[in-house]
Amino acid sequence: MTAIVVHPCEHPLVGSVPVPSDKSIGHRALLFAAICLGKSRIKGFTGGDDNRSTAAALRAMGVVIDEVGSEVTVTGNGLFGLRAPTSSLDCGNSGTTMRLLCGLLAPQPFESTLTGDASLQSRPMMRVIGPLRSRGARIDGRPHPKKADDVTGPLVVHGLPSGEYLGPLEYVSEIASAQVKSALLLSGLYAHGPTYIREPMLSRDHTERLLLSLGVPLSTMGPIVRLDPSTWNGQMPAFDLELPGDPSAAAFLVTAAQLVDKSKVVVRDVGTNPTRTGFFEIARDMGAGIATEPHGERGGEPIADVHAWSAPLRSTRIGGELIPRAVDEIPIACALAARANGTTMIMDASELRVKESDRLATMALVLRAFGVSCEERPDGLVITGKEGAFTPARIDSRGDHRIAMTAAVMALAASGPSRILDVDCITTSFPKFIGTLRALGARIDVEAVDG
Ligand code: S3P
């Protein structure tokens, strides 16, 4: 296990840095390439362990995936080109891998088992299994230890006997979840009949963009998506895609620039798809120094350089449609709130309780450890900004990458060194996080810890 000691910044953070490739788009690019026909090239692939879990699962089903530097070549054999895996598919820490694979594997003519680490095997899976079962899928899970009526991994996806198909689906989802939506759309590629999904609010739409670019007959209207394969020949051509930088990773650097006085940071080539920019909008509402310099598109997704500089912050209210557009950035938005003048309310965010950790509970502990006053509510947090430096803290990340990185960023603005335990998880999404902060001028020591 690794710990880091983060020293308070004595100088501004300055520089221009890249971030890893977008994790969400990376998963989708790999999965779709695996069922396209021919060799797809995914460029700028610098994502972390979560993307590697998806690649490993596909390799275990016979998909040839070659990596040279940051370019990945995937040889797809069409919708029915996957082979039965000979052992269970380990999704690691990645909820996206497990949930999207449910949708892809449910219509296959073979059985597969999906496992993951302890955190993943405590996450609710009925949200995908329920609607998939209603169109004929056979998937079993382990009863969820804490949620009656829910299940968690390991999951056994039985597949379909020859001559059986998934049926049509009309699904009104109670949660805005791109993982649920994408799993259902993947299953819809194989179904006899249309797939109609309505979310309460639009979640990230990378799946829709990619499928449309591959000629799949799909239409969208706000939070409604419909896929009707009846007029489709069931083939997707191989593609070339250059991945944008991950806006979720950029959020940590933008926040670091706000917390360390006189900082000036540029994050290059960041994806600015509007379904992902909630955090940047929150930061701007709070008075943060932030500007985007758009420069075109990458793989059908807008990209921009994000300029961030320290500025006085004020409190805000975060809720409603901003939540799905900033769902992974709420922990780091708490760090802005911790520094803002006034009391920030975070509402409508109960989904955070079922992420890699219960992020509302974990963030409440982190904030208090840094001397920031915080009230935990069932669906959010009430955070009163602290004047002056944070109290040096000792934080256990609980294996959650976004908690570990949030704590590291807050530690830059503490009055003495802080220790963050269990930081290996950072490689899930941002393998070069510590190196990037160091390149901007931060002082961080890495320590190996027994056990
Ligand atoms: C993701 C969707 C989000 C997000 C996760 C990645 C995706 O989950 O939290 O980190 O790639 O589809 P939900 O859409 O289920 O909230």
Side-chain angles (χ1 to χ4, degrees):
M1 207 184 274
T2 310
I4 51 174
V5 176
V6 181
H7 298 271
C9 272
E10 284 162 8
H11 307 285
L13 298 172
V14 180
S16 164
V17 285
V19 275
S21 55
D22 190 287
K23 179 158 83 73
S24 285
I25 304 175
H27 287 301
R28 288 156 174 80
L30 289 166
L31 287 165
F32 294 140
I35 53 171
C36 281
L37 275 174
K39 267 190 188 185
S40 294
R41 260 180 296 272
I42 307 168
K43 294 180 193 149
F45 183 89
T46 54
D49 297 343
D50 272 11
N51 279 172
R52 294 191 183 280
S53 295
T54 294
L58 292 169
R59 282 191 176 112
M61 291 187 282
V63 181
V64 176
I65 303 180
D66 294 317
E67 246 185 285
V68 179
S70 64
E71 186 168 319
V72 175
T73 308
V74 182
T75 307
N77 292 313
L79 282 193
F80 288 100
L82 300 175
R83 279 206 317 260
T86 51
S87 55
S88 56
L89 302 170
D90 184 358
C91 304
N93 187 242
S94 175
T96 311
T97 306
M98 187 174 272
R99 293 189 177 131
L100 269 57
L101 278 177
C102 280
L104 176 63
L105 295 177
Q108 301 295 334
F110 54 77
E111 182 173 294
S112 45
T113 300
L114 302 172
T115 62
D117 68 9
S119 150
L120 179 55
Q121 298 208 134
S122 67
R123 295 183 68 184
M125 291 294 150
M126 195 51 99
R127 52 184 59 200
V128 281
I129 295 175
L132 285 171
R133 279 182 181 161
S134 76
R135 75 186 322 176
R138 294 182 199 135
I139 307 176
D140 293 317
R142 190 169 58 91
H144 197 291
K146 292 195 187 140
K147 292 175 196 290
D149 302 333
D150 213 320
V151 293
T152 187
L155 304 177
V156 180
V157 186
H158 295 288
L160 293 179
S162 107
E164 274 190 35
Y165 300 93
L166 296 181
L169 177 72
E170 188 164 332
Y171 187 62
V172 179
S173 178
E174 279 174 20
I175 42 173
S177 165
Q179 293 179 350
V180 172
K181 175 172 62 176
S182 303
L184 300 181
L185 288 172
L186 271 163
S187 71
L189 295 173
Y190 294 80
H192 278 196
T195 301
Y196 170 100
I197 308 159
R198 184 188 187 107
E199 308 184 85
M201 287 162 285
L202 179 63
S203 64
R204 63 191 68 186
D205 65 356
H206 307 303
T207 297
E208 296 92 306
R209 286 176 188 243
L210 205 45
L211 287 178
L212 272 171
S213 77
L214 298 174
V216 172
L218 181 135
S219 59
T220 62
M221 196 188 288
I224 298 174
V225 56
R226 189 169 190 278
L227 161 63
D228 184 355
S230 62
T231 55
W232 182 50
N233 66 0
Q235 292 185 357
M236 296 189 290
F239 57 88
D240 278 6
L241 180 76
E242 187 169 5
L243 297 172
D246 198 326
S248 300
F252 295 102
L253 307 177
V254 167
T255 302
Q258 307 308 316
L259 299 192
V260 179
D261 222 25
K262 298 196 169 57
S263 291
K264 260 185 149 175
V265 170
V266 181
V267 192
R268 299 195 297 269
D269 300 334
V270 179
T272 50
N273 176 321
T275 61
R276 297 287 298 282
T277 52
F279 169 81
F280 299 138
E281 294 164 40
I282 292 165
R284 195 170 282 163
D285 281 350
M286 297 180 82
I290 177 167
T292 52
E293 188 188 341
H295 49 90
E297 279 196 0
R298 228 178 233 188
E301 300 271 349
I303 56 164
D305 287 349
V306 178
H307 296 251
W309 61 94
S310 57
L313 300 172
R314 53 181 176 264
S315 58
T316 189
R317 290 166 76 87
I318 305 172
E321 64 83 39
L322 265 177
I323 298 293
R325 293 195 303 113
V327 66
D328 293 334
E329 290 71 72
I330 299 298
I332 192 63
C334 291
L336 291 179
R339 180 35 78 79
N341 182 14
T343 298
T344 293
M345 302 262 303
I346 301 175
M347 300 156 285
D348 310 322
S350 52
E351 264 299 294
L352 266 74
R353 295 206 180 274
V354 291
K355 294 291 181 189
E356 285 84 328
S357 68
D358 174 343
R359 286 184 173 158
L360 294 180
T362 328
M363 271 316 300
L365 291 174
V366 170
L367 288 162
R368 288 185 197 126
F370 279 109
V372 179
S373 125
C374 165
E375 183 197 323
E376 190 181 335
R377 302 241 170 114
D379 72 335
L381 294 169
V382 181
I383 302 164
T384 303
K386 181 177 185 327
E387 260 182 59
F390 297 134
T391 310
R394 187 176 188 278
I395 304 288
D396 182 347
S397 77
R398 301 190 173 191
D400 184 331
H401 54 132
R402 299 201 199 278
I403 298 297
M405 289 189 278
T406 298
V409 168
M410 289 187 73
L412 298 172
S415 57
S418 297
R419 207 146 188 272
I420 327 281
L421 306 172
D422 197 0
V423 296
D424 300 286
C425 54
I426 291 175
T427 57
T428 298
S429 63
F430 198 162
K432 293 190 177 160
F433 173 73
I434 293 167
T436 304
L437 280 181
R438 282 179 175 156
L440 292 171
R443 224 180 103 209
I444 301 177
D445 303 325
V446 178
E447 296 175 350
V449 178
D450 289 342

